[in-house]
Each structure stands twice: as C-alpha cells, then as structure tokens.
Amino acid sequence: MRAREAGVSQTLCIASELDDARQVARLVADRPTLFGTAGVHPHDAAHAPSDLREPLVEALGSHPRIVAIGECGLDFHYDFSPRDVQRRVFDLQLGVAGELGLPVVVHCREAEAEMIPIVREAGVAGIRGVLHCFPGDLELLATAMEAGWMVSFTGNVTFRNFTGMDAVKTVPADRYMLETDGPWMAPVPHRGSRNEPALIPLIRNRIAELRGETPEAVEAATDRNARRFFSLPEPG
C-alpha cells in the first residue's frame, strides 16, 4: 500500500540463494505486480550445491514472473565465501544467463578490478547485466557501457560520503535504473531504518538534483529502462 501511494506500480524481489528464490516464486505467484529473480549471492556461494545449474534452471522456470538471474557476483569486502568459489558460482550463473537469454543482477563490492574483464567478456557473449547498488567506479562504468550493460543506484546516493556523483551525472539516460537494495541502504532522512519501495522517490529526487533534471524526467527514463531490461509488461 505504501509503495502504491508513492507511485511504485511494480516491484522486483531479489533472491540471494536457492531457498530464497523458491520463496520469491511463491510470493510473486499471488501478487501480479511483483516480479522476481533466482540466483546465488557471493555471500552464499560457499553453500551452493555442486550441481547448482539444475536447481537454478528449475527455479528460473518456476514462474513466468521470475525474470532475471541474481543477485550474483563478487564480494571481496566481507569474503564470506572463498574468492575462487565466488568466481566459479558467478561464472556458472553467467553461463546460464547466456543459455536462457535472461539478464543478470550483479553485486560487486571491492572487486572492481576482477569485475571489469568479466563484464567485458559477458558483453561480447551477448549477456545482459546490471551492476546494482553501483558505487561509482568510472572505469567499471565505462566497461559496463561498452558491454551494453546497465547500472543501478540506490539510497546511498543521498549519503554524505557517497563518492559516485560523477557516475550519476555522466551515465547515459537510457542506461541506469533506481532501486532500494532493501531492507538496507534507506535514503536520508530514513538512513538506518528499514528500506522499502515507498522510499524510491527520495532516491529519484537526489538523482534528479545531481543530473540537473526534473524528478519526472528521471522517473520516466528509469521506468522505461527497467521495463526494457527486465521485459516487464505495462502495469495493469
């Protein structure tokens, strides 16, 4: 209800491991405005089954509104999973994305140097991706743009210590999206609280301020971008 009142018409629920993906599939089955993903986050890579491909493909096909693979990628900040395992599980998911023609939602934290060649190779292979919660690394941004990828910004754009302002200002209008990364990254003045889709307008407004555009222009562009990237239908 709060999201609807804030103007959010559809929501993408992100999975972080296979059990989570099954819950997402059940959630979207009863709610036509919800869409979801299936994938294994780098934090959970060490717990992924050795035969991940089969259950992942099964989860991706569990409902028509499961529209992407992810969240997957590399996290060298926490290193909750060994780095070689993170890479192996990420590579497998990229391979499935290429096979099924699905986009990938990619997590990258303190692994930009490793991510750049991966994004470049994925782009050559025709794999579509979005670097979510994009922190602003300009070399990675340039690589993503060359590969035909997207980036997505969240509530951290409202934080005083956000260092990605140049990325926000320079990314082409048709190559970025907005997100919550809920329940984390709640935008100011709700920082430290539980994040939710109803707070997206605060992120939109800050992006508009940084880009020198109207909130309406940012909303229209990112709405188009999200529908195109995730192949979402028009609301209603």
Side-chain angles (χ1 to χ4, degrees), residues 1 3 38 46 56 97 117 119 130 133 142 146 153-154 178 217-218:
M1 179 63 74
L56 176 61
V119 171
V130 56
C133 195
E146 292 170 5
F153 299 107
T154 185
L178 309 181
V218 170

PDB file of all heavy atoms in Angstrom, residues 1 3 38 46 56 97 117 119 130 133 142 146 153-154 178 217-218:
ATOM      1  N   MET A   1       0.827  -1.200   0.000  1.00  0.00           N
ATOM      2  CA  MET A   1       0.000   0.000   0.000  1.00  0.00           C
ATOM      3  C   MET A   1       0.872   1.265   0.000  1.00  0.00           C
ATOM      4  O   MET A   1       0.637   2.197  -0.751  1.00  0.00           O
ATOM      5  CB  MET A   1      -0.919  -0.002   1.220  1.00  0.00           C
ATOM      6  CG  MET A   1      -1.807   1.232   1.329  1.00  0.00           C
ATOM      7  SD  MET A   1      -2.966   1.394  -0.041  1.00  0.00           S
ATOM      8  CE  MET A   1      -4.119   0.098   0.402  1.00  0.00           C
ATOM      9  N   ALA A   3       3.925   1.589  -1.076  1.00  0.00           N
ATOM     10  CA  ALA A   3       4.597   1.699  -2.372  1.00  0.00           C
ATOM     11  C   ALA A   3       3.644   2.248  -3.422  1.00  0.00           C
ATOM     12  O   ALA A   3       4.009   3.123  -4.216  1.00  0.00           O
ATOM     13  CB  ALA A   3       5.140   0.339  -2.802  1.00  0.00           C
ATOM     14  N   ALA A  38      16.085 -15.342  -9.465  1.00  0.00           N
ATOM     15  CA  ALA A  38      16.613 -16.546  -8.821  1.00  0.00           C
ATOM     16  C   ALA A  38      18.115 -16.553  -9.032  1.00  0.00           C
ATOM     17  O   ALA A  38      18.591 -16.344 -10.149  1.00  0.00           O
ATOM     18  CB  ALA A  38      15.990 -17.805  -9.417  1.00  0.00           C
ATOM     19  N   ALA A  46      29.505 -20.305  -1.080  1.00  0.00           N
ATOM     20  CA  ALA A  46      30.128 -21.476  -0.461  1.00  0.00           C
ATOM     21  C   ALA A  46      29.107 -22.553  -0.091  1.00  0.00           C
ATOM     22  O   ALA A  46      29.475 -23.722   0.080  1.00  0.00           O
ATOM     23  CB  ALA A  46      30.908 -21.066   0.784  1.00  0.00           C
ATOM     24  N   LEU A  56      19.079 -24.229 -10.267  1.00  0.00           N
ATOM     25  CA  LEU A  56      18.949 -22.829 -10.668  1.00  0.00           C
ATOM     26  C   LEU A  56      18.017 -22.704 -11.865  1.00  0.00           C
ATOM     27  O   LEU A  56      17.116 -21.854 -11.882  1.00  0.00           O
ATOM     28  CB  LEU A  56      20.319 -22.244 -10.997  1.00  0.00           C
ATOM     29  CG  LEU A  56      20.323 -20.807 -11.535  1.00  0.00           C
ATOM     30  CD1 LEU A  56      19.729 -19.845 -10.518  1.00  0.00           C
ATOM     31  CD2 LEU A  56      21.742 -20.383 -11.925  1.00  0.00           C
ATOM     32  N   ALA A  97      22.709 -17.531 -17.771  1.00  0.00           N
ATOM     33  CA  ALA A  97      22.098 -16.333 -18.343  1.00  0.00           C
ATOM     34  C   ALA A  97      22.244 -16.322 -19.854  1.00  0.00           C
ATOM     35  O   ALA A  97      21.303 -15.992 -20.587  1.00  0.00           O
ATOM     36  CB  ALA A  97      22.733 -15.085 -17.737  1.00  0.00           C
ATOM     37  N   PRO A 117      37.062  -7.303 -16.526  1.00  0.00           N
ATOM     38  CA  PRO A 117      37.159  -8.255 -17.642  1.00  0.00           C
ATOM     39  C   PRO A 117      35.961  -9.186 -17.732  1.00  0.00           C
ATOM     40  O   PRO A 117      35.606  -9.630 -18.831  1.00  0.00           O
ATOM     41  CB  PRO A 117      38.447  -9.021 -17.342  1.00  0.00           C
ATOM     42  CG  PRO A 117      38.698  -8.832 -15.889  1.00  0.00           C
ATOM     43  CD  PRO A 117      38.165  -7.489 -15.558  1.00  0.00           C
ATOM     44  N   VAL A 119      32.791  -8.390 -17.081  1.00  0.00           N
ATOM     45  CA  VAL A 119      31.734  -7.639 -17.765  1.00  0.00           C
ATOM     46  C   VAL A 119      32.048  -7.523 -19.248  1.00  0.00           C
ATOM     47  O   VAL A 119      31.168  -7.679 -20.111  1.00  0.00           O
ATOM     48  CB  VAL A 119      31.564  -6.249 -17.126  1.00  0.00           C
ATOM     49  CG1 VAL A 119      30.620  -5.376 -17.958  1.00  0.00           C
ATOM     50  CG2 VAL A 119      31.028  -6.380 -15.702  1.00  0.00           C
ATOM     51  N   VAL A 130      23.080  -5.836 -15.068  1.00  0.00           N
ATOM     52  CA  VAL A 130      23.036  -4.559 -14.365  1.00  0.00           C
ATOM     53  C   VAL A 130      23.927  -4.667 -13.138  1.00  0.00           C
ATOM     54  O   VAL A 130      23.856  -5.635 -12.390  1.00  0.00           O
ATOM     55  CB  VAL A 130      21.599  -4.162 -13.961  1.00  0.00           C
ATOM     56  CG1 VAL A 130      20.918  -5.232 -13.113  1.00  0.00           C
ATOM     57  CG2 VAL A 130      21.609  -2.822 -13.206  1.00  0.00           C
ATOM     58  N   CYS A 133      23.344  -1.317  -7.070  1.00  0.00           N
ATOM     59  CA  CYS A 133      23.923  -0.501  -5.980  1.00  0.00           C
ATOM     60  C   CYS A 133      25.284   0.039  -6.425  1.00  0.00           C
ATOM     61  O   CYS A 133      26.280  -0.091  -5.704  1.00  0.00           O
ATOM     62  CB  CYS A 133      24.041  -1.333  -4.705  1.00  0.00           C
ATOM     63  SG  CYS A 133      24.331  -0.357  -3.219  1.00  0.00           S
ATOM     64  N   ALA A 142      32.577   2.683 -17.490  1.00  0.00           N
ATOM     65  CA  ALA A 142      32.889   2.737 -18.918  1.00  0.00           C
ATOM     66  C   ALA A 142      32.841   1.346 -19.535  1.00  0.00           C
ATOM     67  O   ALA A 142      32.318   1.159 -20.648  1.00  0.00           O
ATOM     68  CB  ALA A 142      34.264   3.366 -19.119  1.00  0.00           C
ATOM     69  N   GLU A 146      30.264   0.037 -22.506  1.00  0.00           N
ATOM     70  CA  GLU A 146      30.764  -0.584 -23.729  1.00  0.00           C
ATOM     71  C   GLU A 146      30.170  -1.973 -23.942  1.00  0.00           C
ATOM     72  O   GLU A 146      29.955  -2.402 -25.079  1.00  0.00           O
ATOM     73  CB  GLU A 146      32.292  -0.668 -23.682  1.00  0.00           C
ATOM     74  CG  GLU A 146      32.989   0.676 -23.742  1.00  0.00           C
ATOM     75  CD  GLU A 146      34.473   0.568 -23.454  1.00  0.00           C
ATOM     76  OE1 GLU A 146      34.961  -0.576 -23.296  1.00  0.00           O
ATOM     77  OE2 GLU A 146      35.150   1.613 -23.368  1.00  0.00           O
ATOM     78  N   PHE A 153      21.253   2.678  -9.153  1.00  0.00           N
ATOM     79  CA  PHE A 153      21.610   3.467  -7.976  1.00  0.00           C
ATOM     80  C   PHE A 153      20.566   3.296  -6.882  1.00  0.00           C
ATOM     81  O   PHE A 153      19.368   3.155  -7.157  1.00  0.00           O
ATOM     82  CB  PHE A 153      21.732   4.943  -8.342  1.00  0.00           C
ATOM     83  CG  PHE A 153      22.789   5.228  -9.367  1.00  0.00           C
ATOM     84  CD1 PHE A 153      22.432   5.554 -10.672  1.00  0.00           C
ATOM     85  CD2 PHE A 153      24.133   5.162  -9.041  1.00  0.00           C
ATOM     86  CE1 PHE A 153      23.397   5.822 -11.627  1.00  0.00           C
ATOM     87  CE2 PHE A 153      25.114   5.421  -9.990  1.00  0.00           C
ATOM     88  CZ  PHE A 153      24.749   5.753 -11.282  1.00  0.00           C
ATOM     89  N   THR A 154      21.042   3.337  -5.656  1.00  0.00           N
ATOM     90  CA  THR A 154      20.161   3.127  -4.515  1.00  0.00           C
ATOM     91  C   THR A 154      20.273   4.292  -3.535  1.00  0.00           C
ATOM     92  O   THR A 154      20.774   5.362  -3.880  1.00  0.00           O
ATOM     93  CB  THR A 154      20.477   1.783  -3.840  1.00  0.00           C
ATOM     94  OG1 THR A 154      19.535   1.549  -2.792  1.00  0.00           O
ATOM     95  CG2 THR A 154      21.877   1.746  -3.267  1.00  0.00           C
ATOM     96  N   LEU A 178      16.817   2.790 -10.911  1.00  0.00           N
ATOM     97  CA  LEU A 178      16.758   3.070  -9.481  1.00  0.00           C
ATOM     98  C   LEU A 178      16.374   1.803  -8.743  1.00  0.00           C
ATOM     99  O   LEU A 178      15.684   0.942  -9.275  1.00  0.00           O
ATOM    100  CB  LEU A 178      15.716   4.159  -9.185  1.00  0.00           C
ATOM    101  CG  LEU A 178      15.809   5.456  -9.991  1.00  0.00           C
ATOM    102  CD1 LEU A 178      14.716   6.415  -9.535  1.00  0.00           C
ATOM    103  CD2 LEU A 178      17.182   6.093  -9.843  1.00  0.00           C
ATOM    104  N   ALA A 217      11.492  13.588 -15.203  1.00  0.00           N
ATOM    105  CA  ALA A 217      12.321  13.075 -16.296  1.00  0.00           C
ATOM    106  C   ALA A 217      13.094  11.838 -15.849  1.00  0.00           C
ATOM    107  O   ALA A 217      13.206  10.856 -16.593  1.00  0.00           O
ATOM    108  CB  ALA A 217      13.289  14.158 -16.779  1.00  0.00           C
ATOM    109  N   VAL A 218      13.626  11.873 -14.634  1.00  0.00           N
ATOM    110  CA  VAL A 218      14.348  10.716 -14.107  1.00  0.00           C
ATOM    111  C   VAL A 218      13.408   9.531 -13.949  1.00  0.00           C
ATOM    112  O   VAL A 218      13.741   8.400 -14.306  1.00  0.00           O
ATOM    113  CB  VAL A 218      15.025  11.069 -12.766  1.00  0.00           C
ATOM    114  CG1 VAL A 218      15.569   9.816 -12.083  1.00  0.00           C
ATOM    115  CG2 VAL A 218      16.130  12.088 -12.978  1.00  0.00           C
TER     116      VAL A 218
END
